[in-house]
Amino acid sequence: MIRTTLTQRLALLGASGALVAGGALLPSSAMAAPATPQVAAVQTAPGHQAHPVGNTATSTKTETKTVRRTLSDGRVKVTTIKTVTKTTKNHHGKVVKKTVTTTETRQILPAPDDD
């Protein structure tokens, strides 16, 4: 029985791997059929698309509510609540996106001078 060393086995493995890699490249380049000229295909878009893109309508509604209240020490507390509603609808009228933003502002004003 013939024993091979580790170096011989690795050399044989490397050589066979190189042959496999070279053999894989050979059929795709050497034996390929001659290239035929490629003609660019031109396709025109239809006049009416089935699902139009970007055909949406956005509406905005703003409500503002202000409340003034006099505190026990005479100062005035002003609270303003602002609600902005943005609604986006598609071309069928269906609501696609609805955003509600509420902002609350509070101010305390000094007591009015009653002379």
Side-chain angles (χ1 to χ4, degrees):
M1 186 161 142
I2 300 174
R3 295 189 178 258
T4 57
T5 63
L6 178 63
T7 312
Q8 289 175 337
R9 280 187 269 163
L10 290 177
L12 187 59
L13 180 66
S16 63
L19 285 176
V20 169
L25 295 176
L26 184 65
S28 64
S29 60
M31 296 182 200
T36 57
Q38 294 186 2
V39 179
V42 178
Q43 183 178 6
T44 59
H48 174 71
Q49 295 180 353
H51 299 286
V53 178
N55 192 8
T56 60
T58 303
S59 62
T60 304
K61 180 181 174 186
T62 305
E63 295 178 13
T64 304
K65 181 180 177 183
T66 303
V67 177
R68 293 176 166 260
R69 196 175 109 201
T70 304
L71 301 175
S72 60
D73 59 355
R75 296 182 299 166
V76 178
K77 180 178 180 182
V78 179
T79 305
T80 304
I81 300 172
K82 182 179 178 181
T83 305
V84 178
T85 305
K86 285 185 180 180
T87 306
T88 304
K89 296 181 180 181
N90 64 6
H91 63 283
H92 294 296
K94 182 179 177 183
V95 175
V96 177
K97 182 178 180 183
K98 186 173 184 178
T99 306
V100 179
T101 306
T102 303
T103 307
E104 185 172 335
T105 306
R106 292 186 183 137
Q107 292 180 326
I108 296 182
L109 303 176
D113 292 331
D114 292 335
D115 290 336

